[in-house]
Amino acid sequence: MTFASPMALLALLAVPAVLALHLFRRRYRPRRVAGLFLFAPDALVASAGRQRTPLVRSTSLWLELAAAALLALWLAGPRLSFFGVPPHVVIVLDDSASMSAKGRDGVAFAARARDIVERELRAAGGDVRVTLVVTGQRPRVLCGPNAPAAVASSALSTWNPQRARHDMAPALALANELGGERATMLFVTDDPRATAPAGCAVRSVGESLDNAALVHARRALHDGQERLFVDATAFAGSTLQTTLTLRALGDAKVLMSRAIELPGDRVARFELDLPTGTGGIEVTLGGDALVIDDACVLLAEPPRSVGVAVRLPAERIAELHLGHALRALGPAVQLGSGEADLEICAAPSEGPWSVQVVIAAGVEPIDAWIGPFLLERRHPLLRGVTLEGVIWSAGRLGGIGGIGGMGRGLVFAGDVPLLGEETLGDQLRLSLALQPARSNLVTSPDWPILLANTVDLARARLPGAAQVNVRLGDAITWRRRPSDDARDELRLVDAEGNATLGVGARVVTFDTWRAGLHRLMRGEVEQARFAVNFADPRESDLRGCGSATLAAAPRPQADLAAAAGERGGVERRVLAFLLLALAALDWLVLSRPRMTQALV
């Protein structure tokens, strides 16, 4: 139980006042006499003043004490959870990475936001119910809906904003839906230009600051030597002085450290040779307002070579220029004749392959098309393929290598499919209708692009991780081996020990919420490691941050004052009814002797 006006409980002092009146009132013992004229006139005059007399525990006493207590409770305005609706406060927290920046006073924007939320909850009262919503492309409820204030304070302490730039509207819409018309809504951000829907106040806790950031970092093989490429910039009006440091993970050995200058609003690129066999590394800049964009962890990408088996006649291989085109892809392709991830053949067959490409010339008569061709350009197989100037020849599709159908068409000449795909469980079959001797496709620039995209499709279907260095906000993907049990639970554990369950059966995906080193666990066994890095120049630019206060605009067709007045109304009406009933009952008790005497 809570009270709208706790100071009104001082009215309970009326209870001892009633007791005092009953203790010090003058009482006369009733005596039966024949007539009052037998007594002298002075004997009828009461002595002055009152004297303490023994307390008579009468029905009237208990009724008056109860009435005094009920009157004090009525004035205090009690609120019972099963009678009234407690106040509901909905807080929307900006989860952008810039909220973790520290101001000139050394206090992070997120810490300022927590203080504002705590003050808001204390002002709402002890019975307040809280809903905390954090922004994002898919906003999430950090606490609630309608959680106690203590639970909200605990959840608020775990909030650590790290997201890239995103739209705030979905979170505000979710908060408005959860709160309804009677809830008090507050949006806390660091953008002084932020707006909110009607009924939601805005508090901006930011501060305009200069900041240096790593905007891109990667490691790649170049002429047999692994090199590190780092892009950094200064979001400032002038050049910033900082330090670029390269450390090895594990033993924290410093591989390189040097002072650098970052020109304002310009990208500076650095290229460094990495020693052979270098494992995970960490690239850092000198500390500044925003820490999350000053560090980047890069793990060594595991080798993901695609085994390719070509099962075509030698003359067909020569016509398709397969040997030269596949060898041009470098160590990413391992040619062989045994079991392979990618199989190129003339007719469909069963096997342990992941991707099968069936190239069939077809049967007479042979048709030729000179375009334009219709392409499914969103498909990764056709990325960069144009087919401009290509003459495409193929036989009748009904008899192509015994292929009854090509599945879903990807390339068409009019309404005739020339390239199609078919998904067979975990396997993918590509069907290509082509007479290479009568077509110039294999001599066009599109042919090596098409083969490289096919190899990439096969590589993406290899077991394990597609990549171990991902950007914060992107999904981590893990493909199970065919021998793995799809019912085994996979967990992604971040640097702080928080675990996230994956989604999917054969291909498991994880959303990334925090930057740093993550471990993929199956039971107690580590399967792989992933480096999740923040990179978003829009969030790293803190010059647009600032402080502001925007009062909530009135909601249309919402009478919040009437809604607030309804709180506690039921309790006060019940107390008023009981108070009137006690007063009436006390009057009846006191008037009973007079009524009896009148009847006699």
Side-chain angles (χ1 to χ4, degrees):
M1 176 188 292
T2 59
F3 298 94
S5 303
M7 293 298 295
L9 291 176
L10 292 175
L12 288 174
L13 295 175
V15 174
V18 172
L19 286 174
L21 290 175
H22 277 261
L23 283 171
F24 289 96
R25 73 179 178 179
R26 187 64 178 264
R27 295 180 175 85
Y28 297 94
R29 180 178 300 177
R31 296 179 182 273
R32 294 182 179 275
V33 297
L36 291 177
F37 64 89
L38 299 176
F39 292 85
D42 55 350
L44 300 178
V45 179
S47 60
R50 295 178 180 269
Q51 295 180 356
R52 186 179 183 278
T53 58
L55 182 65
V56 179
R57 295 177 177 85
S58 62
T59 303
S60 175
L61 171 64
W62 300 120
L63 292 175
E64 291 175 7
L65 291 177
L70 288 178
L71 178 61
L73 290 176
W74 182 85
L75 292 174
R79 299 171 180 172
L80 300 176
S81 58
F82 52 85
F83 275 132
V85 178
H88 185 195
V89 177
V90 181
I91 309 291
V92 181
L93 298 170
D94 185 353
D95 208 32
S96 302
S98 59
M99 286 289 289
S100 62
K102 291 184 178 181
R104 295 182 180 87
D105 57 358
V107 179
F109 300 166
R112 298 177 184 176
R114 293 189 189 96
D115 291 340
I116 289 177
V117 173
E118 293 289 353
R119 289 198 298 268
E120 186 76 17
L121 299 185
R122 286 194 295 269
D127 62 338
V128 64
R129 314 300 289 184
V130 187
T131 301
L132 297 180
V133 179
V134 294
T135 63
Q137 293 179 348
R138 289 183 296 175
R140 60 191 179 97
V141 178
L142 183 65
C143 175
N146 289 288
V151 177
S153 298
S154 177
L156 193 63
S157 64
T158 65
W159 174 53
N160 184 19
Q162 293 189 359
R163 290 182 185 270
R165 180 65 59 91
H166 54 271
D167 187 9
M168 306 294 172
L172 292 170
L174 175 62
N176 192 42
E177 181 178 352
L178 294 176
E181 292 185 351
R182 297 181 180 179
T184 301
M185 291 182 57
L186 175 64
F187 176 36
V188 186
T189 180
D190 60 357
D191 186 358
R193 300 159 297 181
T195 58
C200 181
V202 180
R203 285 292 303 274
S204 177
V205 296
E207 185 178 348
S208 180
L209 300 167
D210 293 339
N211 182 50
L214 297 171
V215 294
H216 182 69
R218 67 183 181 93
R219 52 194 298 177
L221 285 175
H222 183 73
D223 295 334
Q225 173 69 43
E226 190 174 22
R227 293 181 64 81
L228 174 66
F229 301 89
V230 177
D231 292 342
T233 188
F235 297 98
S238 59
T239 301
L240 294 184
Q241 308 287 333
T242 186
T243 303
L244 180 65
T245 306
L246 178 63
R247 293 184 178 89
L249 288 182
D251 57 3
K253 178 182 177 182
V254 177
L255 303 178
M256 186 276 300
S257 180
R258 68 181 182 186
I260 60 173
E261 291 185 353
L262 298 179
D265 294 321
R266 293 177 57 189
V267 176
R269 171 161 294 182
F270 305 92
E271 297 184 13
L272 307 170
D273 290 332
L274 295 177
T276 303
T278 301
I281 57 175
E282 181 182 24
V283 184
T284 59
L285 292 178
D288 52 18
L290 188 59
V291 176
I292 192 173
D293 60 7
D294 291 337
C296 178
V297 175
L298 295 174
L299 300 177
E301 292 285 354
R304 291 177 62 82
S305 299
V306 177
V308 180
V310 181
R311 311 187 195 282
L312 292 172
E315 61 274 12
R316 182 56 53 86
I317 294 176
E319 290 175 346
L320 295 170
H321 305 288
L322 284 179
H324 175 73
L326 292 174
R327 282 192 294 270
L329 297 178
V333 171
Q334 299 293 329
L335 294 174
S337 58
E339 294 184 359
D341 306 300
L342 172 61
E343 181 180 84
I344 303 176
C345 56
S349 63
E350 301 295 331
W353 41 265
S354 297
V355 177
Q356 184 183 62
V357 181
V358 180
I359 303 177
V363 297
E364 297 290 343
I366 304 298
D367 295 323
W369 297 273
I370 58 174
F373 299 96
L374 179 63
L375 286 74
E376 179 58 73
R377 298 188 181 276
R378 294 175 297 178
H379 197 282
L381 181 64
L382 300 176
R383 186 182 299 114
V385 176
T386 62
L387 298 182
E388 293 182 2
V390 169
I391 300 175
W392 194 309
S393 299
R396 294 296 180 181
L397 300 179
I400 293 181
I403 305 174
M406 301 183 69
R408 184 170 74 100
L410 301 178
V411 177
F412 292 85
D415 59 351
V416 179
L418 303 177
L419 175 63
E421 69 168 355
E422 185 178 5
T423 302
L424 307 171
D426 291 336
Q427 297 176 314
L428 178 67
R429 175 178 291 152
L430 302 173
S431 301
L432 179 65
L434 181 66
Q435 279 272 5
R438 303 185 183 185
S439 174
N440 67 348
L441 174 63
V442 296
T443 59
S444 71
D446 291 316
W447 182 242
I449 297 175
L450 190 61
L451 289 178
N453 290 343
T454 304
V455 172
D456 289 340
L457 277 180
R459 181 179 295 106
R461 304 176 79 87
L462 292 176
Q467 56 181 353
V468 296
N469 297 304
V470 299
R471 188 174 60 178
L472 182 64
D474 293 344
I476 290 176
T477 303
W478 177 266
R479 181 178 290 272
R480 298 181 190 265
R481 297 176 180 83
S483 58
D484 290 345
D485 189 349
R487 294 171 296 181
D488 289 344
E489 185 179 85
L490 294 176
R491 297 175 292 115
L492 187 67
V493 182
D494 63 17
E496 298 178 3
N498 302 310
T500 304
L501 295 179
V503 178
R506 304 306 305 179
V507 179
V508 187
T509 59
F510 301 86
D511 290 333
T512 53
W513 302 96
R514 298 180 184 273
L517 201 60
H518 293 59
R519 296 178 298 133
L520 181 66
M521 306 294 293
R522 183 172 65 179
E524 300 300 323
V525 180
E526 181 178 312
Q527 302 294 304
R529 291 194 174 191
F530 298 89
V532 180
N533 298 302
F534 175 83
D536 187 351
R538 298 171 300 174
E539 282 299 299
S540 296
D541 191 351
L542 304 177
R543 291 172 294 180
C545 299
S547 60
T549 300
L550 180 64
R555 289 191 177 99
Q557 301 177 355
D559 188 1
L560 299 182
E566 292 178 1
R567 298 186 62 248
V570 176
E571 295 90 334
R572 300 193 69 174
R573 285 194 292 269
V574 171
L575 290 175
F577 174 78
L578 292 176
L579 185 60
L580 292 176
L582 289 177
L585 187 58
D586 186 48
W587 179 82
L588 289 175
V589 170
L590 294 176
S591 63
R592 185 182 303 167
R594 294 193 297 271
M595 294 174 62
T596 303
Q597 183 179 4
L599 291 175
V600 174

